[in-house]
Amino acid sequence: MIKTDILIIGAGPTGLFTVFEAGLLKLRCHLIDALPQPGGQCSEIYPKKPIYDIPGFPEILAGELVDNLMEQIKPFDPGFTLGERAETIEKLEDDSFVVTTNKGTKHNAPIVAIAGGLGSFEPRKPQVNGIESLEGKGVEYIIRDPEVYRNKRVVIAGGGDSALDWSIFLADVASEVTLIHRRNEFRGALDSVEKVQELKNQGKINLITPAEVIGLVGHQKLSAVVVKESDNIHIDKEYTLETDHFIPLFGLSPKLGPIANWGLEIEKNAIKVDNTLDYQTNIPGIYAIGDVNTYPGKLKLILCGFHEATLMCQSAYQKINPGKKYVMKYTTVSGIDGFDGSRKEAEKAVVKKIE
Ligand SMILES: Cc1cc2nc3c(=O)[nH]c(=O)nc-3n(C[C@H](O)[C@H](O)[C@H](O)COP(=O)(O)OP(=O)(O)OC[C@H]3O[C@@H](n4cnc5c(N)ncnc54)[C@H](O)[C@@H]3O)c2cc1C
């Protein structure tokens, strides 16, 4: 059983910043995320896109923001359960909660902060007969460990950033990379589109457009995909392309998922909270912050998640330390005392006579 003060479900920007605010109050955090890496939408959907509305950063790449948040929370030494979805919640007699993941990992905390964003992401699957039976046997929707593809033949389908970025990355890892897209045009970062063009020219990526994968070959293991390709005058041809892996990267569709069954008040696929006070849900001790919550005037923006996390931590502090007064101090004054023994503080003023 993993024990902590605040159990955060969702390691997106809101969940990560919660660790920092909780750390200032000497509260320890553990995060659970269904994805294999922290960062939520920023890491999974648009790591290379610039964000322009983070206070103090005129422009920052989403992936860079996540890296900075990870650096900022380092002194507070958070725990992570990654690649596991929070599935069930149970309230114990001492009013603390036990959250169990789909892989059976149990976590216990007096406070649960749901920072689940748009929910746990489910991959959008192409309509190809029998695809489910080959999932994990050559068909994957998320690349968790690129090493799996070393010296293997890989077919990637899709026309967005993920398809482009992974084709580029795997061009140096796999023995053969084929990128298939149903249009000639790709919708992604300009440098990624140009890089794919360059790798195609060098013969490191096979590009097949406009085309679709319409069938799969293999029983216990994928052995080939069936490709339907149109030429310029729209005459279709179908053929079989041998491959070890087929990776359709058509984006992820968000689903609130198991959290929807936890007895929380839900409105339009989001969790209702008390925004006049502390972003607590209808179940005392369970908070919902960031994109996952709703209240009048709610905006699904990163900076709103940061604000909600800050107020939520103050309320959690009072619950964990009833009656104990907390006096808010500026970090410029208090500095930061990490759980790892580190200390960051502003340079002290010196007393020195000026001649
Ligand atoms: C293309 C794009 C561009 C954007 N641009 C901007 C912008 O310019 N400025 C801005 O402010 N915002 C922008 N946003 C919105 C911004 O990304 C979100 O507001 C932000 O990511 C919300 O953070 P979060 O931590 O609340 O949720 P998320 O980032 O969604 O993270 C939630 C995490 O919770 C996990 N999770 C959910 N349920 C479970 C469960 N049951 N078990 C385990 N894990 C779970 C998910 O896997 C996910 O990792 C953009 C969004 C997109 C898609």
Side-chain angles (χ1 to χ4, degrees):
M1 181 86 83
I2 294 166
K3 281 180 178 279
T4 189
D5 294 322
I6 303 181
L7 180 64
I8 303 167
I9 297 167
T14 307
L16 295 178
F17 191 63
T18 307
V19 176
F20 180 79
E21 288 296 328
L24 293 181
L25 303 172
K26 310 246 177 294
L27 301 176
R28 287 185 177 267
C29 295
H30 187 95
L31 300 108
I32 306 178
D33 205 298
L35 295 172
Q37 78 283 326
Q41 294 172 52
C42 292
S43 302
E44 190 65 25
I45 305 180
Y46 63 110
K48 290 190 181 165
K49 283 209 167 82
I51 307 178
Y52 302 105
D53 56 352
I54 302 297
F57 288 92
E59 180 177 338
I60 184 165
L61 295 182
E64 231 179 291
L65 175 68
V66 173
D67 291 345
N68 286 357
L69 285 165
M70 290 296 284
E71 181 64 29
Q72 193 172 20
I73 65 176
K74 219 176 181 176
F76 300 122
D77 199 21
F80 285 93
T81 301
L82 294 176
E84 298 188 27
R85 192 179 57 228
E87 203 74 25
T88 60
I89 193 162
E90 184 193 341
K91 194 165 186 171
L92 301 184
E93 269 179 16
D94 64 357
D95 279 346
S96 71
F97 298 92
V98 172
V99 173
T100 308
T101 67
N102 58 329
K103 294 196 179 154
T105 313
K106 289 188 181 295
H107 309 76
N108 175 238
I111 300 290
V112 172
I114 303 176
L118 303 175
S120 46
F121 297 110
E122 304 282 335
R124 288 202 182 92
K125 300 180 183 182
Q127 303 285 318
V128 179
N129 269 346
I131 194 162
E132 266 95 8
S133 65
L134 286 167
E135 285 171 4
K137 297 171 186 161
V139 173
E140 291 95 29
Y141 306 103
I142 292 179
I143 296 178
R144 295 186 196 280
D145 176 11
E147 277 307 307
V148 166
Y149 307 99
R150 184 160 296 279
N151 302 326
K152 295 280 177 9
R153 295 163 302 179
V154 175
V155 172
I156 292 176
D161 280 318
S162 289
L164 291 165
D165 293 347
W166 280 117
S167 298
I168 295 166
F169 188 89
L170 291 181
D172 280 337
V173 177
S175 59
E176 197 179 292
V177 174
T178 303
L179 175 59
I180 297 180
H181 181 39
R182 63 195 168 92
R183 295 184 212 285
N184 288 320
E185 301 77 27
F186 286 83
R187 196 189 184 91
L190 182 62
D191 62 339
S192 304
V193 179
E194 286 174 353
K195 183 74 188 166
V196 167
Q197 178 70 61
E198 193 185 311
L199 290 168
K200 184 200 166 205
N201 296 345
Q202 292 169 7
K204 289 187 172 171
I205 290 180
N206 311 318
L207 195 61
I208 309 180
T209 63
E212 278 178 89
V213 169
I214 56 160
L216 301 172
V217 184
H219 291 295
Q220 291 306 312
K221 181 92 191 69
L222 178 78
S223 59
V225 294
V226 182
V227 180
K228 183 169 146 188
E229 187 180 350
S230 309
D231 69 14
N232 289 336
I233 45 171
H234 304 297
I235 296 170
D236 293 339
K237 58 175 175 174
E238 284 182 25
Y239 55 92
T240 300
L241 180 69
E242 286 188 7
T243 188
D244 302 302
H245 293 274
F246 173 47
I247 314 172
L249 296 174
F250 295 154
L252 300 162
S253 75
K255 290 211 173 66
L256 194 50
I259 294 169
N261 308 319
W262 287 6
L264 299 161
E265 243 185 286
I266 310 279
E267 190 178 271
K268 291 189 195 141
N269 213 27
I271 303 170
K272 274 177 92 172
V273 290
D274 178 3
N275 69 309
T276 59
L277 198 61
D278 54 7
Y279 305 98
Q280 206 161 173
T281 67
N282 59 311
I283 303 179
I286 304 185
Y287 298 77
I289 48 176
D291 276 16
V292 81
N293 74 14
T294 183
Y295 53 83
K298 167 74 184 177
L299 287 179
K300 291 188 181 193
L301 285 175
I302 295 168
L303 80 103
C304 298
F306 289 170
H307 166 78
E308 292 164 12
T310 308
L311 297 193
M312 177 248 126
C313 285
Q314 296 287 327
S315 172
Y317 178 86
Q318 293 304 332
K319 271 189 184 293
I320 292 174
N321 303 287
K324 200 165 162 189
K325 199 160 167 17
Y326 172 75
V327 183
M328 194 209 78
K329 289 194 189 123
Y330 297 130
T331 54
T332 43
V333 176
S334 64
I336 292 175
D337 288 306
F339 295 147
D340 55 1
S342 63
R343 172 149 178 87
K344 275 189 196 172
E345 62 183 327
E347 244 179 75
K348 290 267 184 318
V350 288
V351 180
K352 192 170 186 306
K353 192 174 160 195
I354 298 176
E355 303 293 339

